[in-house]
Amino acid sequence: MSKKQILLINDMAGYGKVATAAMLPILSYFGHPTYNLPTALVSNTLDYGKFNILDTTDYIQGVFPVWKALGFRFDAIATGFIVSERQASIVSRYCLEQAETGTTIFVDPIMGDEGKLYNGVTPATIKSMRAMLSVAHLCYPNYTEACYLTNCTYFPDGVSLDEAYSLLDHLRKIGAKSALITSIPVDGKPAVVGYNHMDDTYFRLGYDEIPVHFPGTGDIFSAILIGHLLDDKPLTVATQKAMDGVYELILRNKDNADKNRGIPLEQYLNIL
């Protein structure tokens, strides 16, 4: 099986297995040549409460012309945390250009969770993420992010299946071809719901929650999902494998003393 070249456009944490630091080892383990372009350099995971961030937008603006001159291209691009509207404009324009040559664009619109936006996320950030969704072949916000992106009401107790599918349709109206919504309670049970534009089908996959919090689990989900999709697995199969992988990693690490650093992936890659 020929492996696909993928570019990760996401932040890079110096301390903690989140974002690029979580995704790169997983996709590399899958055998896909994996490259990275940091949207920000972050001292550590934000869960520690104190951190330092360097915005790399000027660097990114200088990178794309060099790559174009050298003829670099990728089979897929996966975007995550975007720092600003200006950065979103530069990145989305590059993704659109690459998509026109056959590159698949995956978008994780990282903004918040549990009904709240992360520290520093503003209305401008939401607008930026909508710009990213407009070029996505597949997007996968969590329930909170899906509500903010679509201006729909967030219900802490969740939604019905029809309401969940309607939320997927709102994401598609922004421009995403296929879409998932993660961590969404559907009829009282946590689930991932999805729409696959390849066969015009909707689906729901339920799961059991483990009541502990690790930063980076969304990035792990993203990497496993993309790894299987690049190996030509169907969207429902890839989604279930990503859910199973995250569950197993959390289960094996639920008693870790310092959860703020994320899950120590390297010793568990073989289970993915």
Side-chain angles (χ1 to χ4, degrees):
M1 182 186 299
S2 87
K3 292 295 183 176
K4 311 283 187 6
Q5 296 201 109
I6 180 165
L7 170 66
L8 305 179
I9 303 181
N10 205 345
D11 64 294
M12 173 63 86
Y15 189 90
K17 291 298 177 182
V18 299
T20 302
M23 296 182 69
L24 200 153
I26 294 172
L27 284 161
S28 296
Y29 185 79
F30 269 79
H32 301 293
T34 307
Y35 308 89
N36 73 91
L37 184 65
T39 57
L41 300 179
V42 188
S43 59
N44 46 267
T45 64
L46 307 188
D47 298 70
Y48 286 104
K50 182 182 293 187
F51 50 86
N52 186 48
I53 295 180
L54 175 66
D55 181 340
T56 59
T57 303
D58 290 340
Y59 165 74
I60 291 172
Q61 190 167 37
V63 166
F64 289 148
V66 173
W67 284 359
K68 288 177 186 176
L70 293 170
F72 294 166
R73 67 172 305 277
F74 307 94
D75 298 295
I77 297 173
T79 72
F81 179 67
I82 299 292
V83 175
S84 65
E85 282 189 88
R86 175 171 166 249
Q87 189 178 89
S89 175
I90 295 168
V91 171
S92 61
R93 187 163 60 246
Y94 178 75
C95 287
L96 183 59
E97 291 171 359
Q98 295 300 299
E100 289 172 349
T101 67
T103 300
T104 301
I105 310 298
F106 301 102
V107 175
D108 184 1
I110 299 168
M111 297 188 299
D113 201 2
E114 298 178 347
K116 302 185 293 287
L117 295 173
Y118 296 135
N119 288 337
V121 175
T122 67
T125 310
I126 300 170
K127 183 179 178 183
S128 299
M129 287 305 184
R130 290 194 186 111
M132 293 307 308
L133 252 66
S134 70
V135 299
H137 291 90
L138 172 66
C139 70
Y140 34 94
N142 61 34
Y143 176 38
T144 296
E145 293 157 348
C147 289
Y148 275 102
L149 286 165
T150 60
N151 290 317
C152 292
T153 302
Y154 175 89
F155 298 103
D157 294 330
V159 295
S160 68
L161 185 58
D162 286 343
E163 289 168 333
Y165 288 169
S166 175
L167 197 52
L168 286 167
D169 290 338
H170 280 83
L171 292 171
R172 293 169 56 212
K173 287 174 185 175
I174 298 173
K177 291 182 172 63
S178 294
L180 303 174
I181 302 173
T182 64
S183 305
I184 180 169
V186 177
D187 295 331
K189 182 175 176 59
V192 175
V193 296
Y195 171 80
N196 187 353
H197 82 280
M198 300 293 287
D199 55 10
D200 190 29
T201 57
Y202 295 84
F203 59 89
R204 170 182 59 178
L205 301 170
Y207 63 91
D208 295 320
E209 282 187 317
I210 302 172
V212 296
H213 170 73
F214 284 98
T217 51
D219 304 303
I220 294 169
F221 173 90
S222 175
I224 301 171
L225 172 76
I226 291 170
H228 285 294
L229 290 173
L230 294 182
D231 282 340
D232 298 320
K233 296 288 195 304
L235 181 58
T236 49
V237 173
T239 302
Q240 185 64 62
K241 286 182 176 294
M243 294 165 65
D244 293 344
V246 170
Y247 182 89
E248 185 64 25
L249 286 171
I250 294 174
L251 185 65
R252 294 188 183 210
N253 289 273
K254 61 185 176 64
D255 296 323
N256 290 8
D258 184 5
K259 296 181 177 62
N260 289 337
R261 73 176 68 170
I263 292 173
L265 290 165
E266 290 80 0
Q267 58 190 299
Y268 299 105
L269 290 172
N270 65 307
I271 72 169
L272 302 180

